Amino acid sequence: GGVAWQATRPTLSAPRPRQAQKRSYSTLIGIGTRTASLPPTRKPPPPSPPSLYNLHSEPSTTHAAEFRSHNTSQTPPSLDPSTDQSPSSRPDRNTMSTSGHIAVEVDDAERELQLLVSAGPPVPYTLSFTDLSYRVRQGRGGLMGCLPSRASNRLASTDAPPANTKALLDGVSGEAREGELFAVMGASGSGKSTLVDALAGRIARDSLRGHVTLNGEPLHGSRLRAISAYVMQDDLLYPMLTVRETLLFAAELRLSRALSPAAKRERVDRLIDQLGLSRAADTIIGDEGHRGVSGGERRRVSIGTDIIHDPILLFLDEPTSGLDSASAFMVVQVLRTIARSGSVVVMTIHQPSARILGILGRLLLLSRGRTVYAGTPAGLKPFFAEFGAPIPDNENPAEFALDTIREREAQQPDGTGPLAGFNAMWQATHKAMDGTNAKRVSPMTLEYAIAESVARGKLVAGSGTGTVSLQMPTYANPMPVEVWVLIKRAFTNTRRMPELFGMRLGTIMVTGLILATIFLRLDDTPKGVQERLGFFAMGMSTMFYVCADALPVFVQERHIYLRETAHNAYRRASYVLANAVVSFPPLVALSLAFAVTTFFAVGLAGGASSFLYFSLIILASLWAGSGFVTFLSAVVPHVMLGYTVVVAILAYFLLFSGFFINRDRIPDYWIWFHYISLVKYPYQAVLQNEFGDATRCFARGTQMFDGTPIGGMPEAIKMKVLGAIGNALGTHMTSHTCVLTGADVLAQQAVTDLGKWMCLLVTAGFGFFFRALFYAVLLVGSKNKRK
């Protein structure tokens, strides 16, 4: 155990320069149960107040002394002023024994913690997990490895593990409490992330064996999503939003509309200070092409978006991955402050430094899904000493433990089996000696504990009305509010990347100019008819190919969407509606740009009304194309594979559109593809818009012979042939007789089955249809759970 310390009244040390919103204080802590003796040059402090807290310390030569609080139902929780001092400023144990006091650095977070404790103990929470086991079938080679198996991972009802399976978790047990950091540590592939996924409800219930409870009650479903947050390993943020905007949008989505905008801004400002992001508050997040915040700041922003509603349970997957030592230590300090505010914080960590190890509350070491150590960081040395592998004094205990585990895993498949067995025996032996391992029974049910946390200021599930409700709402805000916030966020992000819209506009303008210059001023001749058909086929198909740039949008936002909807930040329908609304205004500009560029230059007929319809059908084509590509982006999660699928399917649509082969010439077994072709309807619509005037003539007299062997003969011979045809038909035909009208062109192309306005409606309807399919895919295929 540790040495009991009794705190005297804290006194301020000499003032130091203010740096990064942090102030230093010095706390004098007496040794033993008597009053501390002070140096003669220092004035004795006044007597301690009656509400004195017991501080438990475990001094270490490798890092600052760790003070851990033990909350009980009879006594208030103790403070935990762990320090992070440089080696030169750390007091050694000899100094502590002779001088009679310890100097401890306390920052603003520690001071806020003292204010919270003085207001009352936090609501007790204990997240317990017992005998968690999770197995997956190992892949099989060849064709059989590609075939799905209905019972591949459903092992909860079996007693013996099936053959050809791999255990990712094997009987793991433990508990995490509010006020302390619970860290899961192990080498790569040890099962760290799997365990956190199991605790966070990210594994299908019927695939996981064991029990997970909070305050002794089962934890799953909507209640778990309402009171918890999960921070993924990757920083999933919108690159062009500032830090403040990112957190503000998160607050508008996760906090109830019962809170005023001023209250939400105040919450965001407090969180920015808590995360140490004040200097970067107005800096964009950034990406590969835009310089933004640093890696450590980005990680803290990612954490902030998930704790904006002050969750009771916080799960983090490798929050220090990819960060330097200083940034990683700052992130863990932030997590410790969150834990002390009354949250249960569970995190995975690969290889913590000595400073980080010193502020962790409880460790769980895993090796191939089995527990090889469970206890406090200070217990690592006695544990390995009793095991027969003592940790050297100058060695980081965490690094030594991981090196030992790796060496044993490399020796034989079950190399860490003896270590796991020794841990079970060691835990049973020392459980009665360590009071922190005793089971804690909450004096209130989980529902009332949650209600009490809400009453004390927790903002879980969008609470904020000040009333205590036992029913946790599924979503914090109504659907219109969610849609509006998502629209604002998307517009803000895309507005700062004008080059994306500029590229789309440039592409469609260049395409329009090329088509306009190739088909410049088409005449009303049979050749002009054929040229018009080529222009319409190319122009309408181009509208769909231009929409392919929408494919990466959801592919890049997919993980942001999964993270936010996993804990009910907003409805899936809200995301679909917002996505549609945000994508529509650029389509209007693109359709007008293409229509203006081509309509008058090509010489299309009909005047203003025809130009308006031409613009509408282009807009409907872009709308249908963007909906189709958005749907495919949800089905195909990879950008390059998605582009391949889009290009191939659009080529099929063009093939069956009626341009290359008329509808009445398509074989019966392929006619269904003609009617589902997206290009068919806008192509047919523009043909009817151009050739719908039955009085307009496209071939007169001898022009009917153009493109035939007679067309190359002298004019006199063509007139004789024309007269013979007239005599055979019983009519007089001259060189001015109209022999091909617009109606004849439509009949020849077999595009008379639907009118132009019906084609417009069908084309626009495809856009809504594919967005409905997009919603269905999100609803069914984005559960974000392991099976």
Side-chain angles (χ1 to χ4, degrees), residues 321-546:
S321 176
L323 302 180
D324 59 81
S325 177
S327 299
F329 180 66
M330 185 175 296
V331 168
V332 177
Q333 279 187 314
V334 169
L335 297 178
R336 180 182 61 178
T337 304
I338 296 170
R340 291 178 173 181
S341 69
S343 298
V344 178
V345 180
V346 179
M347 57 182 286
T348 63
I349 192 166
H350 182 66
Q351 192 164 335
S353 64
R355 291 198 305 169
I356 292 177
L357 189 66
I359 60 178
L360 298 178
R362 199 173 294 267
L363 276 181
L364 183 68
L365 266 67
L366 296 180
S367 173
R368 294 178 179 174
R370 293 185 296 182
T371 304
V372 294
Y373 174 76
T376 62
L380 283 172
K381 283 193 172 183
F383 174 82
F384 280 95
E386 293 187 27
F387 180 69
I391 301 177
D393 291 338
N394 59 346
E395 185 85 11
N396 182 348
E399 294 180 359
F400 180 88
L402 290 177
D403 291 342
T404 302
I405 292 172
R406 289 193 190 98
E407 291 175 1
R408 290 184 166 272
E409 289 178 345
Q411 292 174 1
Q412 52 184 338
D414 195 30
T416 56
L419 188 59
F422 175 77
N423 171 69
M425 181 184 65
W426 192 82
Q427 294 291 337
T429 303
H430 291 76
K431 188 172 184 179
M433 301 173 57
D434 188 359
T436 60
N437 284 338
K439 291 288 184 181
R440 178 175 61 173
V441 180
S442 176
M444 61 181 71
T445 64
L446 178 58
E447 287 187 348
Y448 280 98
I450 295 173
E452 179 66 18
S453 296
V454 173
R456 295 189 182 192
K458 285 283 184 182
L459 301 172
V460 294
S463 60
T465 59
T467 61
V468 178
S469 174
L470 300 183
Q471 297 296 327
M472 306 301 297
T474 304
Y475 298 98
N477 295 284
M479 189 172 175
V481 175
E482 296 173 350
V483 174
W484 176 242
V485 174
L486 292 174
I487 289 174
K488 287 195 301 181
R489 184 174 69 175
F491 266 127
T492 304
N493 185 67
T494 56
R495 178 171 52 85
R496 292 172 182 167
M497 292 186 290
E499 64 274 9
L500 297 182
F501 176 74
M503 289 295 295
R504 298 179 67 184
L505 183 61
T507 300
I508 205 134
M509 291 288 290
V510 170
T511 302
L513 288 173
I514 293 176
L515 292 177
T517 52
I518 291 177
F519 300 99
L520 184 64
R521 294 296 177 184
L522 298 179
D523 52 12
D524 292 345
T525 63
K527 290 185 178 180
V529 170
Q530 295 300 321
E531 292 166 353
R532 281 177 172 84
L533 296 179
F535 166 74
F536 289 139
M538 181 59 65
M540 293 303 102
S541 60
T542 299
M543 296 304 100
F544 291 94
Y545 281 107
V546 167

Side-chain angles (χ1 to χ4, degrees), residues 507-762:
T507 300
I508 205 134
M509 291 288 290
V510 170
T511 302
L513 288 173
I514 293 176
L515 292 177
T517 52
I518 291 177
F519 300 99
L520 184 64
R521 294 296 177 184
L522 298 179
D523 52 12
D524 292 345
T525 63
K527 290 185 178 180
V529 170
Q530 295 300 321
E531 292 166 353
R532 281 177 172 84
L533 296 179
F535 166 74
F536 289 139
M538 181 59 65
M540 293 303 102
S541 60
T542 299
M543 296 304 100
F544 291 94
Y545 281 107
V546 167
C547 294
D549 63 351
L551 182 70
V553 175
F554 181 72
V555 173
Q556 295 172 354
E557 294 182 3
R558 175 188 298 271
H559 295 292
I560 300 178
Y561 161 82
L562 291 175
R563 183 197 68 192
E564 293 176 335
T565 56
H567 292 274
N568 295 344
Y570 47 81
R571 297 165 180 83
R572 292 173 176 85
S574 300
Y575 179 83
V576 174
L577 289 176
N579 178 274
V581 171
V582 170
S583 64
F584 188 75
L587 302 183
V588 176
L590 295 177
S591 62
L592 289 176
F594 185 80
V596 170
T597 306
T598 59
F599 185 87
F600 301 103
V602 173
L604 301 182
S609 61
S610 182
F611 171 79
L612 178 61
Y613 181 85
F614 185 69
S615 302
L616 288 177
I617 195 63
I618 292 175
L619 176 60
S621 302
L622 292 172
W623 169 251
S626 65
F628 172 70
V629 173
T630 302
F631 161 68
L632 281 184
S633 68
V635 177
V636 184
H638 304 289
V639 175
M640 295 307 299
L641 181 59
Y643 277 127
T644 303
V645 173
V646 167
V647 171
I649 295 179
L650 290 180
Y652 301 149
F653 285 162
L654 178 60
L655 176 63
F656 288 94
S657 64
F659 171 71
F660 293 102
I661 181 171
N662 291 349
R663 175 173 53 87
D664 53 4
R665 301 284 294 176
I666 297 177
D668 293 339
Y669 48 83
W670 279 119
I671 195 65
W672 61 272
F673 210 121
H674 171 73
Y675 287 103
I676 67 170
S677 171
L678 293 182
V679 183
K680 162 189 164 56
Y681 299 96
Y683 174 69
Q684 183 170 327
V686 292
L687 286 185
Q688 293 188 3
N689 188 54
E690 178 67 13
F691 300 109
D693 186 2
T695 62
R696 189 178 177 191
C697 187
F698 292 92
R700 296 181 181 275
T702 57
Q703 288 181 340
M704 64 183 298
F705 301 126
D706 292 349
T708 67
I710 300 177
M713 295 182 179
E715 188 69 21
I717 296 178
K718 289 191 289 184
M719 289 300 298
K720 290 182 179 180
V721 175
L722 181 64
I725 294 175
N727 294 332
L729 295 176
T731 183
H732 179 66
M733 299 184 67
T734 67
S735 60
H736 299 288
T737 302
C738 181
V739 295
L740 182 66
T741 64
D744 298 327
V745 174
L746 296 180
Q748 290 177 2
Q749 298 298 315
V751 292
T752 57
D753 54 330
L754 292 175
K756 68 175 187 178
W757 292 106
M758 181 57 67
C759 290
L760 177 63
L761 291 178
V762 172

Side-chain angles (χ1 to χ4, degrees), residues 261-271:
K264 293 179 181 179
R265 287 192 296 269
E266 182 181 357
R267 166 63 180 160
V268 169
D269 291 339
R270 290 201 312 267
L271 185 59

